[in-house]
Protein backbone atom coordinates (compact mmCIF):
# COMPACT_ATOMS: atom_id res chain seq x y z
CA UNK A 1 0.00 0.00 0.00
CA UNK A 2 2.79 2.35 0.85
CA UNK A 3 4.41 1.57 -2.48
CA UNK A 4 1.27 2.38 -4.34
CA UNK A 5 0.96 5.70 -2.59
CA UNK A 6 4.58 6.45 -3.33
CA UNK A 7 4.07 5.84 -7.03
CA UNK A 8 1.04 8.03 -7.07
CA UNK A 9 2.91 10.83 -5.36
CA UNK A 10 5.67 10.78 -7.95
CA UNK A 11 3.42 10.33 -10.95
CA UNK A 12 3.39 14.05 -11.58
CA UNK A 13 7.16 14.19 -12.44
CA UNK A 14 6.82 11.84 -15.38
CA UNK A 15 7.07 13.63 -18.72
CA UNK A 16 7.80 12.75 -22.32
CA UNK A 17 11.00 14.23 -23.82
CA UNK A 18 10.52 15.39 -27.40
CA UNK A 19 13.32 15.95 -29.95
CA UNK A 20 14.18 19.53 -30.82
CA UNK A 21 12.71 20.47 -34.22
CA UNK A 22 15.28 20.57 -37.05
CA UNK A 23 16.25 24.14 -37.98
CA UNK A 24 17.13 23.94 -41.71
CA UNK A 25 18.41 27.52 -41.89
CA UNK A 26 20.96 26.93 -39.12
CA UNK A 27 22.02 23.66 -40.70
CA UNK A 28 22.54 25.33 -44.07
CA UNK A 29 24.55 28.14 -42.46
CA UNK A 30 26.80 25.68 -40.63
CA UNK A 31 27.32 23.66 -43.83
CA UNK A 32 28.29 26.77 -45.79
CA UNK A 33 30.69 27.95 -43.07
CA UNK A 34 32.33 24.52 -42.88
CA UNK A 35 32.71 24.29 -46.67
CA UNK A 36 34.09 27.84 -46.87
CA UNK A 37 36.64 27.15 -44.18
CA UNK A 38 37.70 23.99 -46.00
CA UNK A 39 38.11 25.94 -49.26
CA UNK A 40 40.08 28.72 -47.55
CA UNK A 41 42.30 26.18 -45.81
CA UNK A 42 42.89 24.35 -49.12
CA UNK A 43 43.77 27.59 -50.93
CA UNK A 44 46.18 28.63 -48.18
CA UNK A 45 47.77 25.18 -48.19
CA UNK A 46 48.22 25.32 -51.97
CA UNK A 47 49.71 28.81 -51.85
CA UNK A 48 52.04 27.82 -49.04
CA UNK A 49 53.16 24.77 -51.00
CA UNK A 50 53.73 26.77 -54.18
CA UNK A 51 55.78 29.38 -52.32
CA UNK A 52 57.83 27.04 -50.16
CA UNK A 53 58.24 24.10 -52.54
CA UNK A 54 60.90 25.79 -54.72
CA UNK A 55 62.70 26.97 -51.59
CA UNK A 56 62.89 23.50 -50.06
CA UNK A 57 63.69 21.95 -53.47
CA UNK A 58 66.61 24.33 -53.96
CA UNK A 59 67.80 23.64 -50.40
CA UNK A 60 67.66 19.87 -50.83
CA UNK A 61 68.60 19.73 -54.52
CA UNK A 62 70.49 22.93 -55.40
CA UNK A 63 70.48 23.61 -59.15
CA UNK A 64 73.57 24.81 -60.93
CA UNK A 65 73.19 28.25 -62.48
CA UNK A 66 74.13 28.69 -66.16
CA UNK A 67 77.70 29.83 -66.56
CA UNK A 68 78.47 33.11 -68.30
CA UNK A 69 79.68 32.40 -71.83
CA UNK A 70 82.96 34.11 -72.72
CA UNK A 71 84.20 34.05 -76.30
CA UNK A 72 88.01 34.52 -76.37
CA UNK A 73 89.18 37.63 -78.16
CA UNK A 74 91.52 37.46 -81.13
CA UNK A 75 95.08 36.70 -80.18
CA UNK A 76 97.79 39.01 -81.42
CA UNK A 77 99.01 38.35 -84.93
CA UNK A 78 101.97 35.99 -84.84
CA UNK A 79 105.27 36.46 -86.53
CA UNK A 80 106.19 33.92 -89.22
CA UNK A 81 108.74 32.22 -86.96
CA UNK A 82 106.12 31.86 -84.21
CA UNK A 83 103.70 30.27 -86.65
CA UNK A 84 106.33 27.71 -87.63
CA UNK A 85 106.88 26.77 -84.00
CA UNK A 86 103.14 26.37 -83.45
CA UNK A 87 102.75 24.23 -86.52
CA UNK A 88 105.58 22.02 -85.33
CA UNK A 89 104.03 21.62 -81.87
CA UNK A 90 100.46 21.07 -83.07
CA UNK A 91 100.48 19.81 -86.65
CA UNK A 92 97.08 19.58 -88.32
CA UNK A 93 98.25 18.13 -91.62
CA UNK A 94 100.02 14.86 -91.06
CA UNK A 95 103.32 14.46 -92.90
CA UNK A 96 103.47 11.15 -94.73
CA UNK A 97 106.82 9.96 -96.04
CA UNK A 98 106.27 8.80 -99.61
CA UNK A 99 108.20 8.79 -102.84
CA UNK A 100 105.93 11.13 -104.76
CA UNK A 101 108.29 11.26 -107.73
CA UNK A 102 107.52 7.62 -108.37
CA UNK A 103 103.78 8.10 -107.80
CA UNK A 104 102.79 11.82 -108.10
CA UNK A 105 99.06 11.03 -108.00
CA UNK A 106 99.49 9.65 -104.50
CA UNK A 107 100.47 13.13 -103.33
CA UNK A 108 97.02 14.48 -104.22
CA UNK A 109 95.31 11.51 -102.63
CA UNK A 110 97.19 12.07 -99.38
CA UNK A 111 96.47 15.81 -99.36
CA UNK A 112 92.74 15.38 -99.86
CA UNK A 113 92.64 12.60 -97.32
CA UNK A 114 94.13 14.95 -94.73
CA UNK A 115 91.76 17.77 -95.69
CA UNK A 116 88.80 15.46 -95.28
CA UNK A 117 90.06 14.35 -91.89
CA UNK A 118 89.97 17.96 -90.72
CA UNK A 119 86.51 18.47 -92.23
CA UNK A 120 85.16 15.27 -90.70
CA UNK A 121 86.31 16.30 -87.22
CA UNK A 122 84.56 19.66 -87.56
CA UNK A 123 81.40 18.12 -89.07
CA UNK A 124 80.83 16.24 -85.81
CA UNK A 125 80.21 19.65 -84.20
CA UNK A 126 77.71 20.84 -86.82
CA UNK A 127 73.93 20.52 -86.71
CA UNK A 128 70.95 21.12 -88.95
CA UNK A 129 68.47 23.61 -87.50
CA UNK A 130 64.92 23.04 -88.73
CA UNK A 131 62.02 25.44 -88.25
CA UNK A 132 58.48 24.03 -88.52
CA UNK A 133 55.51 26.24 -89.41
CA UNK A 134 51.78 25.49 -89.56
CA UNK A 135 50.15 27.20 -92.55
CA UNK A 136 46.83 27.25 -94.40
CA UNK A 137 46.27 26.64 -98.12
CA UNK A 138 43.68 28.28 -100.39
CA UNK A 139 41.04 25.84 -99.20
CA UNK A 140 41.68 26.46 -95.47
CA UNK A 141 43.44 23.14 -95.10
CA UNK A 142 46.32 23.23 -92.63
CA UNK A 143 49.72 21.86 -93.56
CA UNK A 144 53.20 21.96 -92.08
CA UNK A 145 56.16 23.56 -93.84
CA UNK A 146 59.77 23.58 -92.77
CA UNK A 147 62.97 25.48 -93.46
CA UNK A 148 66.48 24.42 -92.51
CA UNK A 149 69.97 25.80 -92.13
CA UNK A 150 73.34 24.56 -90.99
CA UNK A 151 74.61 25.53 -87.54
CA UNK A 152 77.65 24.80 -85.40
CA UNK A 153 78.43 24.21 -81.73
CA UNK A 154 79.67 27.55 -80.43
CA UNK A 155 79.40 27.46 -76.61
CA UNK A 156 78.20 25.61 -73.50
CA UNK A 157 76.90 27.24 -70.31
CA UNK A 158 76.62 24.02 -68.23
CA UNK A 159 72.83 24.02 -68.69
CA UNK A 160 72.56 24.38 -72.45
CA UNK A 161 74.44 23.55 -75.62
CA UNK A 162 74.47 26.63 -77.85
CA UNK A 163 74.54 26.60 -81.66
CA UNK A 164 75.00 29.48 -84.10
CA UNK A 165 72.73 29.47 -87.15
CA UNK A 166 70.63 31.81 -89.32
CA UNK A 167 67.58 33.45 -87.75
CA UNK A 168 65.38 33.41 -90.86
CA UNK A 169 64.94 29.68 -90.44
CA UNK A 170 63.48 29.86 -86.96
CA UNK A 171 62.05 33.33 -86.23
CA UNK A 172 58.44 32.52 -87.18
CA UNK A 173 58.68 28.80 -86.49
CA UNK A 174 56.19 27.16 -84.13
CA UNK A 175 58.75 24.46 -83.33
CA UNK A 176 62.54 24.28 -83.65
CA UNK A 177 64.38 21.00 -84.08
CA UNK A 178 68.16 20.62 -83.86
CA UNK A 179 69.46 17.52 -85.66
CA UNK A 180 72.97 16.41 -84.80
CA UNK A 181 75.52 15.00 -87.21
CA UNK A 182 74.86 11.54 -85.75
CA UNK A 183 71.14 11.76 -86.60
CA UNK A 184 69.61 12.42 -83.15
CA UNK A 185 67.14 15.30 -82.97
CA UNK A 186 66.39 17.54 -79.96
CA UNK A 187 64.02 20.44 -79.43
CA UNK A 188 65.69 23.86 -79.53
CA UNK A 189 64.83 27.38 -78.38
CA UNK A 190 65.96 30.84 -79.47
CA UNK A 191 68.58 32.20 -77.08
CA UNK A 192 69.48 35.40 -78.92
CA UNK A 193 69.16 37.11 -82.28
CA UNK A 194 71.30 39.61 -84.20
CA UNK A 195 69.22 41.75 -86.55
CA UNK A 196 72.32 43.13 -88.27
CA UNK A 197 73.85 39.91 -89.57
CA UNK A 198 70.73 37.75 -89.46
CA UNK A 199 72.37 35.23 -87.14
CA UNK A 200 70.86 33.57 -84.07
CA UNK A 201 71.98 31.37 -81.20
CA UNK A 202 69.84 28.29 -80.59
CA UNK A 203 69.84 26.63 -77.16
CA UNK A 204 69.38 22.92 -76.51
CA UNK A 205 68.97 21.68 -72.94
CA UNK A 206 71.90 19.45 -72.02
CA UNK A 207 69.61 17.06 -70.18
CA UNK A 208 67.76 16.40 -73.46
CA UNK A 209 70.93 15.30 -75.27
CA UNK A 210 72.10 11.69 -74.79
CA UNK A 211 75.24 11.56 -72.66
CA UNK A 212 77.26 9.66 -75.25
CA UNK A 213 76.40 12.30 -77.85
CA UNK A 214 77.29 15.16 -75.50
CA UNK A 215 80.73 13.71 -74.92
CA UNK A 216 81.40 13.02 -78.59
CA UNK A 217 81.26 16.59 -79.90
CA UNK A 218 83.35 19.64 -79.10
CA UNK A 219 82.83 23.38 -79.32
CA UNK A 220 84.43 24.58 -82.55
CA UNK A 221 87.31 26.97 -81.95
CA UNK A 222 86.99 30.43 -83.51
CA UNK A 223 89.98 31.65 -85.51
CA UNK A 224 91.33 35.16 -86.07
CA UNK A 225 89.93 36.21 -89.44
CA UNK A 226 91.80 39.53 -89.24
CA UNK A 227 95.25 37.99 -89.75
CA UNK A 228 96.83 39.83 -92.65
CA UNK A 229 98.48 36.86 -94.35
CA UNK A 230 95.48 34.52 -94.68
CA UNK A 231 94.62 35.66 -98.21
CA UNK A 232 95.21 32.84 -100.75
CA UNK A 233 95.54 30.24 -97.98
CA UNK A 234 93.70 26.88 -98.20
CA UNK A 235 90.25 26.74 -96.63
CA UNK A 236 87.53 24.13 -96.15
CA UNK A 237 83.80 24.81 -96.44
CA UNK A 238 81.39 22.52 -94.57
CA UNK A 239 77.63 22.54 -94.05
CA UNK A 240 74.64 22.68 -96.37
CA UNK A 241 76.54 24.02 -99.36
CA UNK A 242 74.02 22.77 -101.90
CA UNK A 243 70.43 21.59 -101.81
CA UNK A 244 71.36 18.03 -100.94
CA UNK A 245 72.24 18.07 -97.26
CA UNK A 246 75.70 17.89 -95.75
CA UNK A 247 78.61 18.74 -98.03
CA UNK A 248 82.33 19.54 -98.02
CA UNK A 249 84.28 21.84 -100.35
CA UNK A 250 87.98 22.64 -100.67
CA UNK A 251 89.61 25.76 -102.05
CA UNK A 252 91.36 28.92 -100.97
CA UNK A 253 90.49 32.28 -99.50
CA UNK A 254 90.26 34.32 -102.69
CA UNK A 255 89.22 37.70 -101.32
CA UNK A 256 88.92 39.73 -98.11
CA UNK A 257 88.63 43.39 -97.21
CA UNK A 258 85.10 43.98 -98.46
CA UNK A 259 82.79 45.12 -95.65
CA UNK A 260 79.06 45.12 -95.03
CA UNK A 261 77.76 48.14 -93.14
CA UNK A 262 75.17 47.81 -90.38
CA UNK A 263 73.94 50.01 -87.55
CA UNK A 264 76.88 50.68 -85.20
CA UNK A 265 78.86 47.87 -86.85
CA UNK A 266 80.82 46.87 -89.94
CA UNK A 267 81.71 43.26 -90.73
CA UNK A 268 84.35 41.94 -93.12
CA UNK A 269 83.27 39.59 -95.90
CA UNK A 270 85.48 36.65 -96.86
CA UNK A 271 85.21 35.21 -100.37
CA UNK A 272 86.44 31.76 -101.41
CA UNK A 273 86.81 30.11 -104.81
CA UNK A 274 84.58 27.24 -103.65
CA UNK A 275 81.35 26.67 -105.56
CA UNK A 276 78.14 26.70 -103.49
CA UNK A 277 74.40 27.15 -103.81
CA UNK A 278 72.64 30.49 -103.47
CA UNK A 279 71.08 29.24 -100.22
CA UNK A 280 74.28 27.77 -98.81
CA UNK A 281 74.89 27.74 -95.06
CA UNK A 282 77.69 26.49 -92.84
CA UNK A 283 81.20 27.67 -92.02
CA UNK A 284 84.62 27.96 -93.63
CA UNK A 285 87.61 26.54 -91.75
CA UNK A 286 91.35 27.02 -91.83
CA UNK A 287 93.71 24.03 -91.84
CA UNK A 288 93.64 23.99 -88.03
CA UNK A 289 89.92 23.16 -88.14
CA UNK A 290 89.06 26.59 -86.72
CA UNK A 291 86.12 28.70 -87.91
CA UNK A 292 87.18 31.60 -90.11
CA UNK A 293 83.69 32.71 -91.11
CA UNK A 294 79.97 31.95 -91.15
CA UNK A 295 78.69 31.30 -94.66
CA UNK A 296 76.11 33.83 -95.91
CA UNK A 297 75.36 33.91 -99.67
CA UNK A 298 73.57 37.24 -99.25
CA UNK A 299 76.94 38.88 -98.62
CA UNK A 300 78.39 37.71 -101.93
CA UNK A 301 78.98 39.55 -105.18
CA UNK A 302 76.22 39.76 -107.80
CA UNK A 303 78.87 38.99 -110.41
CA UNK A 304 79.73 35.65 -108.74
CA UNK A 305 76.66 34.56 -106.71
CA UNK A 306 77.78 30.93 -106.46
CA UNK A 307 81.13 31.54 -104.77
CA UNK A 308 80.97 30.66 -101.09
CA UNK A 309 81.17 33.86 -99.04
CA UNK A 310 81.19 34.28 -95.28
CA UNK A 311 81.05 36.86 -92.50
CA UNK A 312 84.49 37.10 -90.89
CA UNK A 313 84.26 35.48 -87.47
CA UNK A 314 86.40 38.11 -85.72
CA UNK A 315 83.78 40.81 -86.33
CA UNK A 316 80.97 38.84 -84.67
CA UNK A 317 82.68 37.24 -81.67
CA UNK A 318 81.23 39.82 -79.28
CA UNK A 319 77.81 39.38 -80.85
CA UNK A 320 77.99 35.61 -80.38
CA UNK A 321 78.91 36.15 -76.73
CA UNK A 322 76.01 38.57 -76.23
CA UNK A 323 73.46 36.23 -77.79
CA UNK A 324 74.82 33.21 -75.90
CA UNK A 325 74.23 35.02 -72.60
CA UNK A 326 70.76 36.22 -73.59
CA UNK A 327 71.70 39.89 -73.13
CA UNK A 328 69.92 42.74 -74.86
CA UNK A 329 71.83 44.98 -77.26
CA UNK A 330 72.27 48.73 -76.92
CA UNK A 331 72.19 50.97 -79.98
CA UNK A 332 73.53 54.42 -80.83
CA UNK A 333 72.17 54.52 -84.37
CA UNK A 334 74.96 55.45 -86.78
CA UNK A 335 76.78 54.10 -89.80
CA UNK A 336 80.44 54.91 -90.11
CA UNK A 337 84.00 54.15 -91.15
CA UNK A 338 87.52 54.70 -89.86
CA UNK A 339 89.22 58.01 -90.55
CA UNK A 340 91.99 57.10 -92.97
CA UNK A 341 95.65 57.70 -92.21
CA UNK A 342 95.93 59.90 -95.30
CA UNK A 343 93.06 62.14 -94.14
CA UNK A 344 94.66 62.53 -90.72
CA UNK A 345 98.14 63.36 -92.08
CA UNK A 346 97.25 65.41 -95.17
CA UNK A 347 93.93 67.06 -94.33
CA UNK A 348 94.19 67.45 -90.59
CA UNK A 349 91.08 65.36 -89.93
CA UNK A 350 90.85 64.21 -86.28
CA UNK A 351 91.32 60.53 -85.53
CA UNK A 352 88.13 58.71 -84.62
CA UNK A 353 84.98 57.16 -86.11
CA UNK A 354 83.64 59.09 -89.11
CA UNK A 355 79.81 59.17 -89.20
CA UNK A 356 78.59 58.49 -92.74
CA UNK A 357 74.87 58.45 -91.93
CA UNK A 358 72.38 58.54 -89.07
CA UNK A 359 69.56 56.04 -88.52
CA UNK A 360 66.17 57.76 -88.48
CA UNK A 361 64.65 58.35 -85.01
CA UNK A 362 67.74 56.82 -83.39
CA UNK A 363 69.34 57.97 -80.11
CA UNK A 364 72.13 59.55 -82.19
CA UNK A 365 69.65 61.61 -84.20
CA UNK A 366 67.70 62.63 -81.10
CA UNK A 367 70.94 63.80 -79.45
CA UNK A 368 71.99 65.91 -82.44
CA UNK A 369 74.81 63.80 -83.91
CA UNK A 370 75.16 64.54 -87.63
CA UNK A 371 76.63 62.95 -90.74
CA UNK A 372 80.22 64.15 -91.08
CA UNK A 373 80.83 64.25 -87.33
CA UNK A 374 83.85 62.38 -86.01
CA UNK A 375 83.23 60.57 -82.73
CA UNK A 376 86.31 60.74 -80.52
CA UNK A 377 84.92 59.66 -77.17
CA UNK A 378 81.94 57.75 -75.72
CA UNK A 379 81.75 58.15 -71.97
CA UNK A 380 85.28 57.56 -70.71
CA UNK A 381 86.19 55.38 -73.72
CA UNK A 382 88.48 56.92 -76.33
CA UNK A 383 87.35 56.23 -79.90
CA UNK A 384 90.21 55.78 -82.38
CA UNK A 385 88.37 53.78 -85.05
CA UNK A 386 84.83 52.77 -85.95
CA UNK A 387 85.07 49.33 -84.33
CA UNK A 388 85.61 51.13 -80.99
CA UNK A 389 82.01 52.38 -81.28
CA UNK A 390 80.88 48.78 -81.74
CA UNK A 391 82.87 47.73 -78.67
CA UNK A 392 81.35 50.56 -76.63
CA UNK A 393 77.81 49.45 -77.50
CA UNK A 394 78.54 45.90 -76.33
CA UNK A 395 80.00 47.20 -73.07
CA UNK A 396 76.99 49.40 -72.24
CA UNK A 397 73.39 48.54 -71.40
CA UNK A 398 70.31 49.93 -73.17
CA UNK A 399 68.79 53.08 -71.62
CA UNK A 400 72.23 54.17 -70.39
CA UNK A 401 72.78 57.92 -70.62
CA UNK A 402 76.28 58.76 -71.81
CA UNK A 403 78.20 61.78 -73.08
CA UNK A 404 79.48 61.48 -76.66
CA UNK A 405 82.29 63.75 -77.79
CA UNK A 406 82.32 64.63 -81.49
CA UNK A 407 84.47 66.82 -83.68
CA UNK A 408 82.36 68.82 -86.13
CA UNK A 409 83.77 70.79 -89.02
CA UNK A 410 82.98 74.48 -89.01
CA UNK A 411 84.67 76.36 -91.82
CA UNK A 412 88.27 75.20 -92.02
CA UNK A 413 88.54 73.78 -88.53
CA UNK A 414 86.93 71.16 -86.33
CA UNK A 415 85.15 72.13 -83.14
CA UNK A 416 84.54 69.83 -80.21
CA UNK A 417 80.98 69.19 -79.06
CA UNK A 418 79.82 67.07 -76.13
CA UNK A 419 76.33 65.61 -76.60
CA UNK A 420 74.19 63.70 -74.13
CA UNK A 421 72.82 60.47 -75.57
CA UNK A 422 70.44 57.92 -74.05
CA UNK A 423 71.21 54.60 -75.75
CA UNK A 424 68.37 52.62 -77.26
CA UNK A 425 67.72 48.89 -77.37
CA UNK A 426 67.58 46.56 -80.34
CA UNK A 427 64.24 44.77 -80.16
Amino acid sequence: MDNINHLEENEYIKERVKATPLNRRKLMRRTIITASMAVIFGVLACLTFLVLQPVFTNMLYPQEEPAVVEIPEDTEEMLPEDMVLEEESEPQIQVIERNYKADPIQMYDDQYEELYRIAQTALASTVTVIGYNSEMDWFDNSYESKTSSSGFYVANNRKEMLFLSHKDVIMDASDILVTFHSGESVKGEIKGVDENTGLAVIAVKIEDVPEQLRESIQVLKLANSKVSNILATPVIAIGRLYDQGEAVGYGMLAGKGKTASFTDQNVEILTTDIYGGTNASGVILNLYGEVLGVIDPGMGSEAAPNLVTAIGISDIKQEIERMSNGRSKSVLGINGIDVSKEAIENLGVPMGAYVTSIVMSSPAMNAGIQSGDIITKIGERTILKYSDVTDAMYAMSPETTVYVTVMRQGGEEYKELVLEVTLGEVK
Side-chain angles (χ1 to χ4, degrees):
M1 190 67 179
D2 292 337
N3 293 332
I4 295 174
N5 293 334
H6 180 73
L7 291 173
E8 289 177 352
E9 290 175 358
N10 293 287
E11 190 69 27
Y12 72 94
I13 66 173
K14 291 182 178 180
E15 61 180 16
R16 187 174 181 182
V17 180
K18 295 184 178 180
T20 303
L22 183 64
N23 190 326
R24 296 181 179 275
R25 183 175 296 176
K26 289 183 177 180
L27 179 61
M28 181 63 69
R29 186 183 301 121
R30 290 177 180 175
T31 303
I32 293 174
I33 292 173
T34 303
S36 299
M37 293 299 291
V39 171
I40 293 173
F41 177 79
V43 171
L44 290 175
C46 289
L47 290 175
T48 303
F49 176 79
L50 291 174
V51 171
L52 296 181
Q53 190 268 342
V55 177
F56 287 119
T57 300
N58 289 334
M59 289 175 60
L60 296 174
Y61 308 101
Q63 294 186 356
E64 190 176 22
E65 290 296 323
V68 176
V69 173
E70 295 183 353
I71 303 297
E73 297 181 0
D74 287 338
T75 55
E76 295 184 4
E77 189 168 343
M78 294 180 295
L79 298 174
E81 56 268 25
D82 296 328
M83 296 180 67
V84 171
L85 289 174
E86 181 172 347
E87 290 176 0
E88 290 176 352
S89 60
E90 296 184 34
Q92 296 296 306
I93 299 294
Q94 295 181 3
V95 178
I96 303 174
E97 296 294 336
R98 294 188 189 275
N99 184 4
Y100 290 127
K101 291 183 178 180
D103 187 4
I105 296 178
Q106 185 64 47
M107 176 179 67
Y108 294 101
D109 288 341
D110 290 343
Q111 288 176 342
Y112 279 106
E113 183 178 344
E114 286 303 309
L115 289 173
Y116 182 64
R117 181 182 62 81
I118 297 170
Q120 198 170 33
T121 301
L123 279 170
S125 297
T126 62
V127 295
T128 298
V129 179
I130 306 172
Y132 290 92
N133 296 279
S134 296
E135 301 181 10
M136 304 290 290
D137 61 16
W138 289 98
F139 304 100
D140 292 333
N141 297 316
S142 62
Y143 68 95
E144 190 174 64
S145 64
K146 67 177 183 178
T147 52
S148 60
S149 177
S150 183
F152 72 97
Y153 191 14
V154 71
N156 182 315
N157 64 10
R158 294 200 304 251
K159 301 287 288 184
E160 301 163 320
M161 300 174 70
L162 305 171
F163 300 89
L164 186 70
S165 186
H166 292 275
K167 76 177 185 69
D168 292 342
V169 175
I170 44 86
M171 282 307 295
D172 298 322
S174 55
D175 291 293
I176 301 171
L177 204 64
V178 176
T179 302
F180 290 83
H181 180 68
S182 56
E184 289 95 338
S185 296
V186 180
K187 183 178 179 181
E189 296 179 349
I190 300 174
K191 186 74 173 181
V193 172
D194 178 26
E195 295 295 340
N196 279 349
T197 60
L199 297 174
V201 169
I202 314 300
V204 169
K205 292 181 180 178
I206 288 180
E207 60 190 33
D208 293 340
V209 181
E211 183 176 357
Q212 186 175 359
L213 177 57
R214 293 199 305 260
E215 296 175 351
S216 65
I217 64 175
Q218 301 293 326
V219 171
L220 281 182
K221 186 176 180 181
L222 307 184
N224 181 359
S225 60
K226 295 291 188 181
V227 176
S228 58
N229 60 354
I230 63 172
L231 192 64
T233 57
V235 292
I236 305 169
I238 62 172
R240 299 177 65 84
L241 305 182
Y242 319 105
D243 295 328
Q244 56 185 30
E246 186 180 277
V248 177
Y250 308 117
M252 71 174 184
L253 189 62
K256 69 187 298 285
K258 174 186 173 183
T259 60
S261 179
F262 300 109
T263 302
D264 301 335
Q265 179 186 23
N266 288 339
V267 297
E268 185 177 37
I269 305 304
L270 307 179
T271 303
T272 73
D273 63 351
I274 303 171
Y275 183 89
T278 54
N279 293 318
S281 60
V283 295
I284 58 173
L285 310 167
N286 60 19
L287 295 186
Y288 287 88
E290 302 167 341
V291 177
L292 276 173
V294 180
I295 295 174
D296 188 337
M299 301 292 182
S301 169
E302 293 182 0
N306 288 107
L307 291 183
V308 172
T309 56
I311 300 171
I313 199 67
S314 290
D315 288 327
I316 56 174
K317 285 183 178 180
Q318 291 184 102
E319 187 60 38
I320 295 172
E321 181 176 291
R322 181 193 69 80
M323 290 189 289
S324 298
N325 290 308
R327 291 194 295 107
S328 56
K329 183 178 182 179
S330 61
V331 60
L332 178 60
I334 67 168
N335 296 98
I337 57 175
D338 297 344
V339 178
S340 68
K341 183 178 179 181
E342 291 76 11
I344 295 172
E345 294 177 350
N346 301 329
L347 302 177
V349 179
M351 180 180 291
Y354 182 84
V355 179
T356 57
S357 63
I358 304 292
V359 177
M360 292 295 294
S361 302
S362 66
M365 174 174 280
N366 295 336
I369 298 176
Q370 301 177 7
S371 299
D373 286 348
I374 298 171
I375 298 176
T376 59
K377 201 171 186 180
I378 297 179
E380 298 300 320
R381 181 188 292 261
T382 300
I383 305 299
L384 300 177
K385 54 187 182 298
Y386 185 58
S387 61
D388 292 336
V389 175
T390 305
D391 295 341
M393 292 304 100
Y394 285 120
M396 298 179 181
S397 302
E399 306 304 325
T400 299
T401 299
V402 63
Y403 290 101
V404 177
T405 303
V406 303
M407 301 297 291
R408 182 173 297 172
Q409 190 171 22
E412 296 182 357
E413 62 179 4
Y414 283 86
K415 296 182 179 179
E416 181 179 280
L417 296 175
V418 179
L419 305 172
E420 186 178 75
V421 181
T422 300
L423 300 178
E425 180 178 358
V426 178
K427 303 296 184 181

